[in-house]
Amino acid sequence: MFTERIFSIGISKFIFDGMDNDLLSDQVKYYCSNPNNKLRHRRDMGLDNPHLQKLNQMVLNQSQHILNGIISNSNVTNVKCYLQKVWGNHNINENISVPHTHRESFLSVVYYPKSTDGKIHFHSPWTDSMLAHVPGLSSEVYHEYNSNYYELHPRTGWLIFFPSSLIHCVPPSKEERMSIAYNVGVLQHLHL
């Protein structure tokens, strides 16, 4: 085993009981399927959506907490998270079933107002190439140095944060699944 760890990828997950998941599910359905929604790109739920205010604030607060932990003990100051975009997903969307990243963002966040059999897959961008040199490696015992894949099974009320550059995808669900996804950016406020 290596004697030191030099890089790390983290995720955060929370379970919230205080959200009106029926209302949020109705919002996801509306923005994913309403052809009369000409004001926004399809599935874009709008950061100004009054039904998302509580969720927006939770996402923003926790994103700032994650950022503050990353930059603690550094000389970086006056950096703040901001919400770049929010959109809904109802059942499977072809765009999210293919492994992808959101490189234009700092964090990706997903809230599940309805999920009973949902999954989200995360993929390591470097483990496969390193392990290709190890013949006969058993995949039965995974740890942080030999795993190239991580799977979460989010349920209704879960809120998940992860680095936007982490490769991820969502396989099809057999049951109805709804999610609200965010891209979160970072700005530095300069004093004049």
Side-chain angles (χ1 to χ4, degrees):
M1 193 63 66
F2 293 112
T3 60
E4 292 183 42
R5 295 177 181 150
I6 60 173
F7 301 113
S8 182
I9 297 175
I11 64 170
S12 294
K13 63 181 181 178
F14 305 92
I15 301 172
F16 289 106
D17 295 327
M19 301 301 291
D20 185 343
N21 288 318
D22 291 334
L23 173 69
L24 293 176
S25 293
D26 288 343
Q27 288 289 298
V28 170
K29 284 181 190 176
Y30 173 77
Y31 285 103
C32 286
S33 64
N34 188 339
N36 298 320
N37 180 21
K38 307 245 188 260
L39 298 176
R40 308 182 197 285
H41 293 288
R42 193 165 179 193
R43 298 189 310 120
D44 182 350
M45 297 179 71
L47 292 169
D48 58 347
N49 184 326
H51 303 292
L52 297 178
Q53 285 182 351
K54 183 177 179 181
L55 184 59
N56 287 354
Q57 196 58 54
M58 286 192 310
V59 167
L60 193 57
N61 290 346
Q62 188 57 39
S63 295
Q64 188 66 45
H65 179 73
I66 291 169
L67 175 61
N68 291 346
I70 291 171
I71 64 172
S72 66
N73 300 320
S74 74
N75 61 352
V76 177
T77 59
N78 300 321
V79 290
K80 298 289 181 194
C81 288
Y82 70 99
L83 304 180
Q84 293 175 309
K85 182 180 176 183
V86 60
W87 67 96
N89 295 296
H90 184 197
N91 289 338
I92 191 61
N93 175 307
E94 296 80 23
N95 297 327
I96 63 174
S97 63
V98 174
H100 64 283
T101 64
H102 299 256
R103 290 201 177 268
E104 71 281 2
S105 303
F106 169 61
L107 291 175
S108 292
V109 182
V110 186
Y111 179 74
Y112 292 86
K114 185 171 188 178
S115 179
T116 55
D117 71 338
K119 295 177 186 171
I120 184 168
H121 296 173
F122 299 99
H123 300 271
S124 165
W126 56 83
T127 310
D128 281 342
S129 59
M130 182 180 85
L131 296 180
H133 300 279
V134 182
L137 179 67
S138 170
S139 62
E140 295 174 10
V141 179
Y142 283 109
H143 52 72
E144 63 189 306
Y145 295 110
N146 73 359
S147 56
N148 62 350
Y149 166 83
Y150 186 79
E151 180 177 275
L152 274 179
H153 299 266
R155 298 299 178 250
T156 299
W158 282 33
L159 181 62
I160 300 170
F161 295 75
F162 56 93
S164 292
S165 57
L166 182 60
I167 300 168
H168 60 283
C169 65
V170 178
S173 299
K174 293 180 181 176
E175 299 174 18
E176 190 174 38
R177 176 192 51 79
M178 296 187 201
S179 65
I180 299 172
Y182 290 85
N183 283 343
V184 177
V186 176
L187 288 175
Q188 185 169 27
H189 298 283
L190 302 175
H191 297 292
L192 299 176

